[in-house]
Amino acid sequence: MTVYLTNKENNNTMVENPPHYIDGGIETIDILDAKLNEKQFEGYLLGNVFKYICRYGKKGDCFDALQDLEKAQFYLKKIIFILKKKYTKKG
């Protein structure tokens, strides 16, 4: 069975660069990255992965459910990138 979803307000933008999280030309995630220490930022990212997985299927339609999984994936990819970079330097 193939499911076709309409692109509600450019889903990629809403997952990776939501306009409501930009203030003064900088995204909230970039402010947090600059202000939190390494462990705090990793905790923030993992917390968001958990939040979006737990929220999956509990709000809106199938498009919202898919978007929740894409948001979880976004934060998971970000922490994987950070950890690979961190441990590649040490290795």
Side-chain angles (χ1 to χ4, degrees):
M1 176 181 169
T2 304
V3 178
Y4 296 96
L5 301 173
T6 59
N7 194 352
K8 236 189 205 179
E9 303 297 323
N10 189 347
N11 190 42
N12 192 39
T13 299
M14 293 306 293
V15 170
E16 296 181 11
N17 305 101
H20 56 276
Y21 285 127
I22 298 174
D23 186 27
I26 187 166
E27 287 193 50
T28 305
I29 193 170
D30 294 329
I31 294 169
L32 291 169
D33 188 15
K35 295 292 184 181
L36 299 176
N37 69 37
E38 187 177 287
K39 282 291 180 196
Q40 290 170 328
F41 190 62
E42 289 173 14
Y44 163 77
L45 295 173
L46 287 174
N48 276 309
V49 170
F50 185 69
K51 172 179 74 173
Y52 286 113
I53 288 173
C54 289
R55 194 170 90 171
Y56 166 74
K58 294 182 178 152
K59 121 182 187 186
D61 56 18
C62 63
F63 182 85
D64 291 319
L66 177 62
Q67 191 176 71
D68 283 339
L69 292 178
E70 289 173 336
K71 287 179 181 181
Q73 180 183 38
F74 169 79
Y75 286 105
L76 187 58
K77 282 183 175 181
K78 197 155 192 65
I79 195 163
I80 288 169
F81 175 81
I82 289 168
L83 292 175
K84 279 184 177 181
K85 187 175 164 185
K86 177 178 162 181
Y87 293 117
T88 301
K89 284 182 181 179
K90 290 182 179 183

